[in-house]
Amino acid sequence: RSVQQPFIALYPDQLNFEGLTTASSSLPEDTVESSPDDIPDHLPSYISNVCLRFLSVFDVVIHRLIEISSLQSSLEALMQHLGCLYAAHPQPITYLYTTLHYYHRTLIDNPQIRLILAHSIVKSLRITHQGVNYVTTQFRNYASNLDNSVTTGDGKVWQTNWQYFKELLQPLYNALANKNPESVFDNQSIDWRFHEFSNPSTHYLYCICVEIMALPTNEADMVDGFINLIVLESKQTENDDNANSIHWINAVAQILTALPLSYVAILYQRIVECLKNCTGSQADDSHSNDLLDSLATLTQCTWALGNMGMLSEIPSVVSGHFKSVVNNEHQLIYIIKLIGPLLVRLNSERTRLLFECMSEVYDMIAQVEQLDGISHYVDNIADFLYHVKYMFTGDETKQDVERITHKLTPLMYNRLRFLVGGKPI
């Protein structure tokens, strides 16, 4: 309000019925231009001016410039001159998040445009949102120099480390753990009824996603940084309070669900890489187990928070990523533990996806039986399959079981014969 009042005083902008009232009045003092003293302390709900009305047009103009690759260079000059208008935007962070998310593939090879767009809008918010930190200090210092999209002012390439990821996620972690959630607002009183977001957690979540998508780094580096942070925090709290690591995992999972699906695909790739190194002799390695456990917990939490678009890709992820690397029973039991908690949600929301996932599980069982055989986890796998049958699938997957029975060893067949009503061997 304090920013708009001087502008309105210099350039009065009336609605149609107000202009008609002024023009039809016979009193000469009614036609005198308004002064700053005439502006009320509380602007009326219908207040508007040419700048505020131009913002909706400016939003569309930015999108069109992004879509036309030959005009993307014009966006830099446009944001430098008109980016300050976003100080009066009703939802600046939401608009920035939506733009970067929707045009993620279009701008993947143009980090300078992403950085300029984010920096211009965030910088303008310092006028009307003083005391609110939307980005980290490292990002703010880096974005202050826009002469080069790859190097900072001292000529060093943007690099991330463990401290940066902890600083990035710390506000969201504090909000989820209920540890001083409003520390980022410099102890100022924020009326969340009139804020862009309704609570601190949502505010931090979208600001973190905006910073991640605006940085000139690839997706793999960001996801690897999150995974390393979770592993380190889990080791530090395993002898103290495991709830701390749970909040870190929850924070990362919420971020991954809010980012484009390509970030979650990196998480699947890391699971595949770890599974390739998971053999019978390496199954007892503590570091490997810590990483596998962290990846499984993070993936399960991400799936629990994900939308239906993410869940609909899980059967193809199991068949396209995980199935090809499952060659022994240690890898198989890991995949079963990975997708097991998800079956309850699939059963209540998308039963078809549940059937498709279980079909892939049966194929992996037959695949392992032919390649390596199952001996240690026979009872565990049988208990899981019977539980799924009697709780979720019934006879819907009976054909899948019959399809693999001839590929099973006698030991596994005798455990699973009740799924199809077969005779013991």
Side-chain angles (χ1 to χ4, degrees):
R1 179 173 54 85
S2 60
V3 177
Q4 297 183 34
Q5 281 182 339
F7 181 85
I8 297 173
L10 293 176
Y11 306 100
D13 193 5
Q14 298 176 327
L15 298 179
N16 183 50
F17 68 89
E18 292 176 330
L20 293 176
T21 302
T22 303
S24 60
S25 176
S26 60
L27 297 177
E29 57 270 16
D30 291 343
T31 60
V32 179
E33 293 185 358
S34 60
S35 63
D37 296 334
D38 298 330
I39 304 299
D41 292 337
H42 299 282
L43 297 177
S45 60
Y46 54 79
I47 189 63
S48 178
N49 55 59
V50 64
C51 292
L52 296 179
R53 291 194 293 270
F54 176 70
L55 279 173
S56 59
V57 180
F58 195 22
D59 291 346
V60 180
V61 170
I62 292 177
H63 289 171
R64 299 293 84 80
L65 291 177
I66 293 176
E67 294 172 354
I68 305 175
S69 58
S70 60
L71 298 180
Q72 289 182 0
S73 58
S74 304
L75 181 60
E76 178 179 356
L78 194 62
M79 293 303 299
Q80 290 178 353
H81 290 84
L82 301 178
C84 59
L85 293 178
Y86 278 89
H89 198 283
Q91 294 180 328
I93 298 298
T94 303
Y95 169 75
L96 183 56
Y97 165 81
T98 306
T99 301
L100 294 176
H101 192 287
Y102 183 82
Y103 293 105
H104 176 68
R105 283 302 170 192
T106 305
L107 298 175
I108 192 67
D109 296 325
N110 199 338
Q112 185 172 357
I113 295 298
R114 304 199 310 264
L115 187 64
I116 291 174
L117 187 63
H119 179 60
S120 300
I121 295 179
V122 172
K123 182 176 64 175
S124 67
L125 299 179
R126 300 177 188 175
I127 303 174
T128 55
H129 299 76
Q130 297 180 1
V132 180
N133 295 325
Y134 290 92
V135 293
T136 60
T137 304
Q138 187 173 348
F139 177 86
R140 190 183 305 109
N141 296 336
Y142 175 82
S144 297
N145 190 322
L146 300 179
D147 295 334
N148 194 305
S149 63
V150 180
T151 59
T152 58
D154 54 2
K156 295 182 179 180
V157 178
W158 168 270
Q159 295 181 351
T160 56
N161 49 35
W162 178 76
Q163 289 79 9
Y164 167 74
F165 285 101
K166 189 168 185 178
E167 179 188 357
L168 180 66
L169 269 67
Q170 190 71 53
L172 182 59
Y173 167 82
N174 292 340
L176 296 176
N178 198 23
K179 296 181 179 180
N180 196 15
E182 297 191 7
S183 59
V184 75
F185 299 104
D186 297 339
N187 297 324
Q188 292 190 4
S189 177
I190 301 296
D191 193 341
W192 293 102
R193 298 175 301 170
F194 307 107
H195 195 265
E196 180 179 0
F197 302 102
S198 59
N199 55 74
S201 300
T202 308
H203 171 89
Y204 303 141
L205 175 61
Y206 282 94
C207 290
I208 290 172
C209 291
V210 165
E211 180 168 343
I212 291 173
M213 291 186 288
L215 283 174
T217 57
N218 56 50
E219 301 157 343
D221 292 340
M222 299 302 299
V223 177
D224 289 341
F226 291 144
I227 295 174
N228 294 334
L229 176 63
I230 291 175
V231 173
L232 291 175
E233 290 296 331
S234 299
K235 290 182 178 180
Q236 292 178 1
T237 60
E238 61 183 358
N239 297 324
D240 183 13
D241 184 9
N242 289 328
N244 292 335
S245 61
I246 292 176
H247 291 308
W248 286 110
I249 294 173
N250 190 17
V252 175
Q254 290 195 28
I255 293 172
L256 290 178
T257 56
L259 290 173
L261 292 177
S262 54
Y263 286 88
V264 184
I266 302 298
L267 180 61
Y268 301 149
Q269 295 177 10
R270 297 299 174 262
I271 295 177
V272 171
E273 294 172 359
C274 291
L275 285 177
K276 290 180 179 179
N277 300 323
C278 179
T279 62
S281 59
Q282 296 174 334
D284 296 331
D285 180 74
S286 59
H287 175 72
S288 177
N289 285 338
D290 291 340
L291 182 57
L292 284 171
D293 291 343
S294 298
L295 289 173
T297 308
L298 178 59
T299 304
Q300 291 169 353
C301 190
T302 304
W303 285 346
L305 298 172
N307 54 24
M308 193 50 57
M310 179 184 296
L311 297 183
S312 62
E313 293 189 351
I314 293 180
S316 61
V317 170
V318 175
S319 61
H321 291 75
F322 302 154
K323 183 178 177 181
S324 60
V325 298
V326 175
N327 301 319
N328 58 64
E329 58 181 325
H330 299 283
Q331 298 168 336
L332 175 62
I333 201 69
Y334 180 83
I335 296 299
I336 290 177
K337 292 192 297 183
L338 182 66
I339 67 175
L342 178 67
L343 299 182
V344 176
R345 181 180 180 187
L346 293 181
N347 182 61
S348 60
E349 298 184 21
R350 287 293 186 277
T351 310
R352 175 182 58 83
L353 300 179
L354 171 63
F355 296 154
E356 293 177 359
C357 287
M358 289 308 303
S359 177
E360 299 297 335
V361 170
Y362 286 121
D363 290 339
M364 285 187 286
I365 292 174
Q367 179 176 298
V368 172
E369 282 281 79
Q370 291 183 324
L371 295 176
D372 188 55
I374 301 176
S375 58
H376 294 85
Y377 301 105
V378 174
D379 293 331
N380 303 86
I381 295 174
D383 291 343
F384 170 75
L385 296 180
Y386 280 116
H387 172 77
V388 173
K389 171 182 171 62
Y390 293 121
M391 294 299 296
F392 305 125
T393 61
D395 290 333
E396 292 294 333
T397 57
K398 185 177 180 179
Q399 295 181 351
D400 295 318
V401 182
E402 294 174 343
R403 177 167 47 86
I404 67 168
T405 51
H406 67 282
K407 301 179 182 179
L408 301 178
T409 59
L411 179 62
M412 179 59 73
Y413 175 82
N414 288 332
R415 294 292 194 281
L416 302 182
R417 70 181 188 274
F418 296 106
L419 293 177
V420 293
K423 297 181 180 180
I425 299 178

